[in-house]
Amino acid sequence: MNKKAKKGHFQSNKSFFRIVWFVLLCLISALIARYILTGINDMLAIGKDSYPVQVEIPENASIDDVADILEEHNLINEKEFFKLYAIATKSGKKFVSGSYELSTSMDYQALLNHIQNQSNIKDIVDVTFTEGMSVTEMADMLDKNEICSKDKFLECCKSNDFDGSFTFLKNIDNPTERVYKLEGYLFPDTYKFYHGEDAESIISKMLSNYKKRVLQKTTIEGYGSKTSVKELAEKNGMSVETVLNIASLIQAEAADKDDMYKVSSVIHNRLSTLKNDGKNSFGEFSMNYLRIDATVYYPYRNKNNVPKNFTGLYNTYNIQGLPPGPICNPGMDAIIAAINPSQTDYFYYCHSKDGDAYYAKTNDVHVANLRKAGL
């Protein structure tokens, strides 16, 4: 190769490396810009839903500890950016241990200021809502523990005030037909509340837990990889709203976890007859009426509490198919049973006073089972 050719080759390589360098520089600049933009949005809490979150700051917490806690509770998304901000503003040196109520709408500075002020520490009360509790029972428990007013809690359970922060509530297509719009969506669990807490704050925490446990991917017993109730429901051709409704009936009726799947099969089998005007494969009619005792006096637990002139709009002895909405707040076992019923030909079930379960395909066998169960 002569000198002129070598010089041309060198210039060609030089131009190529300049282009590569320029492209790399542009990519790095774009990544840095994206990181900064994402961090700033997170720092200012732009575009976040607003709902309260309780956190526990341990003694001698470092900025790394605090960042982990805030990220775990979805109060921040960019942990490293948060730590850089705290260091740059000299705000991450000292934190006061205790329980705090924060909001997802707080920016970085508000979060830091809040957990560095002892006056913001809350006197926390642990409250456990068990599977199958109704909103009225939850209201009684909150009132008894002097956490919030029963009437205010129930008023909030009827309102549309939470639709903005929890958009999944907009999927309820018949809110005016339900006694309590939020029945079924207040996930049973142990919660940390404080005396005199606003009903709105309490409900927001419970709806947040529902969102996490039902709509977002998580570990569910019986499934190898993380999934969500929403995904499982859709794979089985069901909406989450229908699943919750069926699960509430299962939770109220079943004797135990194993019984849930057979009770679920009876409900599904009866619902399948809606397309046949209630006729089942055994030639019996009116199977489109679920006839579930737990629905008769809803929202009251029993006849003794029912006021005069009561009209049971949820009474499945009088209405075809499912009631307007859930009759209680089901747990995960009942929810999974609602999605995956046992494959049976049962159209009837009953339980003895001892909790023994009896199932039947036809009414004649069911009548015999009622005698066996002492009913």
Side-chain angles (χ1 to χ4, degrees), residues 305-324:
N305 299 326
V306 174
K308 291 182 179 180
N309 303 318
F310 170 71
T311 302
L313 300 178
Y314 283 56
N315 189 342
T316 52
Y317 282 85
N318 299 331
I319 60 174
Q320 297 180 33
L322 293 169

Side-chain angles (χ1 to χ4, degrees), residues 192-307:
K192 294 182 180 296
F193 301 126
Y194 59 87
H195 292 298
E197 186 167 354
D198 292 336
E200 292 85 355
S201 170
I202 292 169
I203 289 174
S204 291
K205 290 173 187 175
M206 299 179 76
L207 290 174
S208 298
N209 193 26
Y210 164 86
K211 181 179 179 181
K212 179 180 178 182
R213 300 287 296 274
V214 174
L215 302 183
Q216 297 176 351
K217 287 191 175 185
T218 185
T219 301
I220 298 177
E221 184 181 349
Y223 295 87
S225 57
K226 285 189 175 183
T227 185
S228 69
V229 169
K230 185 174 186 294
E231 287 182 354
L232 296 175
E234 290 173 350
K235 285 179 181 178
N236 286 272
M238 304 168 69
S239 68
V240 174
E241 287 66 41
T242 298
V243 168
L244 285 181
N245 202 335
I246 295 174
S248 74
L249 303 177
I250 295 169
Q251 189 77 68
E253 290 281 299
D256 53 38
K257 183 176 177 180
D258 291 336
D259 188 38
M260 285 181 175
Y261 291 88
K262 291 187 176 67
V263 170
S264 180
S265 75
V266 171
I267 294 172
H268 279 275
N269 288 343
R270 287 198 169 226
L271 290 175
S272 70
T273 69
L274 286 168
K275 60 182 180 292
N276 300 322
D277 295 324
K279 183 179 179 180
N280 69 9
S281 55
F282 299 102
E284 296 182 332
F285 290 90
S286 299
M287 295 297 106
N288 46 353
Y289 291 88
L290 297 181
R291 294 191 172 93
I292 291 176
D293 291 344
T295 66
V296 174
Y297 300 114
Y298 180 82
Y300 306 97
R301 276 299 190 184
N302 55 62
K303 188 176 181 180
N304 296 332
N305 299 326
V306 174

Side-chain angles (χ1 to χ4, degrees), residues 139-151:
D140 286 335
M141 183 174 288
L142 291 168
D143 196 273
K144 181 180 179 180
N145 285 277
E146 299 179 345
I147 294 169
C148 81
S149 159
K150 172 182 177 178
D151 292 339

